Amino acid sequence: MKIGLTGGIGTGKSTVAKLFRAQGWVVVDADQIAKQVVEPHEPAFEAIVTVFGDDIVDEETGALDREKLGRIVFQDQEKRQQLNDIVHPAVRERMTAEAEEAFDYGAEVVVLDIPLLIESDLFHLVDCTVLVYATKEQQLERIIERNGLSEEEAAKRINAQMPIDEKRAKVDDIIDNRRGFEALKTEVEAYVNRIHQELHY
């Protein structure tokens, strides 16, 4: 079974991914893969350089200058779309391949950790979806604490995403992260047990 894990900034999705791993599940992380597919000599790297020019390659490291690229795409929606059109298919392909490999090695459950699963409409990649949920106030509090941002900056980041309650209506399951780590751990264990029961029913 392939499970799509998603959440919002500050809801605790990374913590849940770690807890899934601790339960023996394979977790394939979209953010990590997004970094891998744009490394030098990867097809996506070559495509990005073709589209954006040699200027975006760091002379010392030979890798992409992420800041420079970030500035370009941040200001220009068309350029951002071009970048996404290169990176996203490469990420999806690599995630699917890693999941298949894990199944070949005997994994029963593979979790695809995709922050923008709902926004990018990637439901077709998975069998079911689970959202890590916290209130907007908790998201704000956690981001301020974790990233040292001002309340205004933290609110901006949250508001740039689809509201968490809107996401909640679009997924199959919820893991509630409103009550601290021990309660979260219990939630995750209950979810894992339920999925195993469904698989062996």
Side-chain angles (χ1 to χ4, degrees), residues 5 12-29 111-114 132 175 184 188:
L5 170 67
K13 184 177 62 61
S14 306
T15 306
V16 170
K18 275 187 198 135
L19 290 168
F20 280 156
R21 284 195 179 99
Q23 292 283 328
W25 281 4
V26 175
V27 178
V28 180
D29 182 334
V111 177
L112 301 186
D113 177 348
I114 310 176
V132 184
I175 287 177
L184 178 66
V188 169

Side-chain angles (χ1 to χ4, degrees), residues 80-99:
R80 186 158 66 236
Q81 192 55 53
Q82 280 180 305
L83 181 65
N84 288 344
D85 288 346
I86 295 168
V87 176
H88 289 177
V91 172
R92 288 198 291 272
E93 199 178 307
R94 178 80 54 97
M95 287 191 92
T96 304
E98 285 197 13

